[in-house]
Amino acid sequence: MAVGIVQTVRPGTLAAFECSLNVDMNRFDRLVLALKEALGPSSGLTSDDVDVEFLTKLMKDYKSDEREWAKFAMGDASRGYTRNLVDEGNGKSNLLVLVWSPGKGSPIHDHGNAHCLMKILRGDLTETRYAFPKAGEEEEKPMKVISEKVYKENQVAYMADELGVHRVWNRGSDFAVSLHLYTPPNVAKGGCHIFSEETGKKSHIKNCGYYSAYGKKL
């Protein structure tokens, strides 16, 4: 949206936020700033003053344009996916672009007591959700599938540990790309647990670092 053009916009939308800006940025840059502003100086998704539905709406309002986010989307076909840091918000969140290799994906994992919003920027991604294995359960048995859904370009999903654990994977023959808002950024700081689909046994992964940060490979 060009700055200075008079348009009728609804409050509480990405377009309304864009109209308050007087800088020349693309719509993806504006989305990053809108999410940061919505979280405020000290809030994470678990704070009472944060509206998760509003954050979801901001992500839905953005229509993916590869030219705008391509500099963050660094893929590596030898990996299931790459984690590319875009923004660390107020220090209680992080915003990542994940690039998913063809035919590959993530292990089953939790979110370290964090909350996640995922928007598909390119391609399709399949999410399989599983019931969280019960603590102290000694019997090894296959994990129970709760649901499976294919998310298409521009769709947004929400995930948190109270909804189970999940894996995300790319069934396609080309790279897929997604945008993830995590808050608080527990996984980046303390890792997460991954689970065996066949036994339900979990193990802790300490290093869930970044492949690139702010458009530069690490």
Side-chain angles (χ1 to χ4, degrees):
M1 179 187 298
V3 176
I5 295 178
V6 178
Q7 297 193 31
T8 301
V9 296
R10 293 177 291 118
T13 64
L14 183 58
F17 177 82
E18 290 173 346
C19 287
S20 71
L21 299 176
N22 56 6
V23 292
D24 184 19
M25 295 185 293
N26 65 46
R27 284 177 55 84
F28 184 80
D29 293 334
R30 293 170 181 175
L31 172 62
V32 174
L33 284 180
L35 293 170
K36 183 184 297 187
E37 183 176 89
L39 286 168
S42 60
S43 298
L45 279 180
T46 55
S47 300
D48 292 338
D49 60 342
V50 170
D51 187 343
V52 177
E53 291 185 1
F54 179 62
L55 293 171
T56 302
K57 182 168 179 54
L58 288 175
M59 294 184 82
K60 286 182 176 179
D61 284 349
Y62 173 71
K63 302 305 178 186
S64 180
D65 185 335
E66 187 166 348
R67 295 169 297 179
E68 297 175 347
W69 47 257
K71 66 180 181 180
F72 299 109
M74 297 187 186
D76 185 339
S78 68
R79 305 179 181 213
Y81 64 99
T82 58
R83 291 163 46 88
N84 303 279
L85 178 65
V86 175
D87 187 69
E88 291 185 293
N90 54 34
K92 292 190 176 181
S93 66
N94 56 11
L95 187 67
L96 308 179
V97 166
L98 271 61
V99 180
W100 303 84
S101 298
K104 298 181 180 179
S106 72
I108 302 171
H109 62 280
D110 65 14
H111 284 78
N113 294 319
H115 298 248
C116 175
L117 286 170
M118 175 181 76
K119 179 185 178 72
I120 310 303
L121 296 177
R122 176 185 176 185
D124 299 343
L125 288 173
T126 300
E127 180 202 41
T128 307
R129 296 191 179 189
Y130 302 81
F132 220 117
K134 294 181 181 179
E137 193 171 59
E138 296 182 0
E139 181 184 358
E140 295 184 359
K141 56 185 178 181
M143 294 181 66
K144 179 182 178 181
V145 175
I146 298 174
S147 65
E148 185 166 278
K149 182 175 180 179
V150 176
Y151 289 94
K152 299 184 178 297
E153 189 171 306
N154 285 314
Q155 289 188 307
V156 177
Y158 171 78
M159 187 60 178
D161 285 345
E162 57 262 31
L163 300 177
V165 294
H166 75 170
R167 69 184 295 247
V168 177
W169 54 297
N170 175 14
R171 285 177 169 169
S173 58
D174 197 1
F175 287 94
V177 183
S178 54
L179 179 68
H180 297 245
L181 176 66
Y182 298 96
T183 179
N186 293 345
V187 172
K189 293 181 178 180
C192 66
H193 292 95
I194 63 173
F195 300 81
S196 166
E197 184 174 13
E198 292 75 25
T199 68
K201 294 189 68 173
K202 69 177 181 179
S203 56
H204 185 252
I205 302 297
K206 293 182 180 180
N207 185 12
C208 296
Y210 305 126
Y211 185 78
S212 73
Y214 310 111
K216 295 183 179 181
K217 186 177 177 181
L218 298 177

